[in-house]
Amino acid sequence: MDPLIIHDHYEIDYRHSYAEDSPFFVGLSKGKLLGSRCTACGYTYATPRSHCMGCGAPTAWHEMPLTGRVHTYTTCHYGGEAFLKETPFTLILVEFDGADTLFLSRLKGVEPDAVRIGMPVVARFAKTPAFKVTDVWFEPGE
Amino acid sequence: MRPVYVISGGITKFAKAHPDKDFRLMVKEAYDYALRDVPKFSKDMIAGAVGSYFSDHFTRQLKAASMAQDYLGLCPKPSKRIEGGGATGGLCFQSAWEAVASGRMNCCVAFGFETMSRVNTWKGNEFIALASDTNFDFPVGGFYTGYYAMMVRRHMHEFGTTVEQMAMVSVKNHMNALYNPYAQKAKRLTIKQVRESPMVATPLTMEDICTMSDGAAVCILASEEVAAKVCNRPVKITGVGSGSDAMRMADRPHGKVILLPHERESDYAHLKYPGVHSFRGGRMAAKLAYQMAGIRNPIQELSFVELHDAYTSSEIQTYEDLGLCKYGEGGKFVESGVPFMPGVDYGLELPKQGRLPVNPSGGLLACGHPVGATGLMQAVFAFWQLQSTIKKHLGNDKLQLKKPTRGLIHSHAGTGTYITVSILEAV
């Protein structure tokens, strides 16, 4: 007998707290990019992290510059189902002066073939925040 | 810790879908194959089991390993599930090793499976991407191929690695698999065909990336006493190591290289490590496994490697993490022909062909990657290779190396968040 195959739908709404990372998302709504700086060793993360990975001490919020450089990049022609309709899109890791780590974001307003490592980029913010990390993206800068 | 041996193994055919078999039956097939291979072994000797599968999303069944445990008739013996992303199978293997090495069990079954065919490929990619930070990485366009594409773009920038070198990995692994009937996607390819296949995330094409699979694999691990009683050619596990790294690639440090015994600090005077071009967790896993196995120079002391080539790029990156060549030389390493099989015509100029074959089985690129089974599949191939029983199990001996003494298996999760390295030796 051929196997019997049925279709089964599954959907969930989550109540999701950003908890200690909440100020980062509020920051985006105010046009600020908040990283974290260790209060003990001074290591500076370009992402929220309330305790230092190196020494374990608490970090303080640290306002990042809104300009940086492309550390690496890719243009995705396929993606997870949630993002398929947005393809092709370009992902970059941004490096900033004064930060020890990078930041993952989208690069917009540039042809994929024109993206280069080291390219200056500038942060742009959504006018109407969705309180998601996609409230910020980057465009080519000076 | 006491010595631990692999005494048997089994694999199901990896395939895009097995709608005629659920995960329990797939595991049972691999398990029965393993039992048939050691006729003197009896089920009473099994003290317990460790089950592995990656995703509850794919399986749509929590505690699925319990269902495999009862299907195998192993209740009420001890059991647990291991999950660690892409390294799930490798972690399962090491968990079974721990059970026997510690003396808790004289014999432990490691079984793993994945049923990825239950959703379409792009939904599957979305599930896999949920194994990246869901606050900061996933929403930006969560897609593992995109993450690996960014890593290799940086590798190319730092070291001059080329897309043609990456394509050579694809040619090698797909062609090795022509001789492996368990593989899902064996084929003859050229560098040109790899580059001309559809672009997925620049610079990675369809043929640079492994596929989703349904499949299962089983390994039986035992103490020296049990192994001597039931198995003519057991294989000894002489080294076990694992490592980890930060979930968000963006958070990785740019510091100093973790050195292996044959390397010097001056080799890497200007390299900022691991950044996003290398896997620090893989290097840590290799260092620990080599230390335990007494390996000083892996390129000279290993007979073959089965490593986690989810991407052609990650195979090149992993050569370096494992110290098969220096950091930055992975592209040249594949070009030299060292990781190719001897005696296979790849249609390429390979001056040092076959010195240290990597992924004789065809790896994930060609075998497929049913996540929970993958690391165990590597262990089974390594076991057969070291037993010199490839012909018996694959029906041909094209992939059988001549008198291999020591093999390395490597299992890898996320963007390098959990990595295992285990060393197996012929006795």
Side-chain angles (χ1 to χ4, degrees), chain A residues 16 47-49 72 74 77 106, chain B residues 135 140 150 200 202 248 251:
Chain A
H16 184 70
T47 52
R49 177 175 286 279
T72 189
T74 182
H77 296 271
R106 290 247 189 132
Chain B
N135 282 348
V140 180
M150 282 190 284
V200 179
T202 57
R248 296 191 294 241
D251 289 356

Side-chain angles (χ1 to χ4, degrees), chain B residues 50-84:
Chain B
V50 188
S52 72
Y53 65 103
F54 157 57
S55 174
D56 298 318
H57 291 63
F58 277 114
T59 314
R60 187 85 156 80
Q61 169 66 63
L62 301 189
K63 287 200 47 42
S66 296
M67 294 168 72
Q69 176 85 1
D70 80 43
Y71 201 80
L72 298 182
L74 291 176
C75 297
K77 292 174 182 180
S79 186
K80 65 182 168 190
R81 176 232 183 147
I82 294 285
E83 187 280 312

Side-chain angles (χ1 to χ4, degrees), chain B residues 39 78 82 114 119 122 137 316 343 385 415 422:
Chain B
I82 294 285
E114 209 73 45
V119 294
W122 307 114
D137 290 353
I316 288 177
Q385 188 69 261
T415 52
S422 305

Side-chain angles (χ1 to χ4, degrees), chain B residues 85-98:
Chain B
T88 294
L91 290 164
C92 177
F93 181 80
Q94 295 194 346
S95 179
W97 172 84
E98 284 158 10

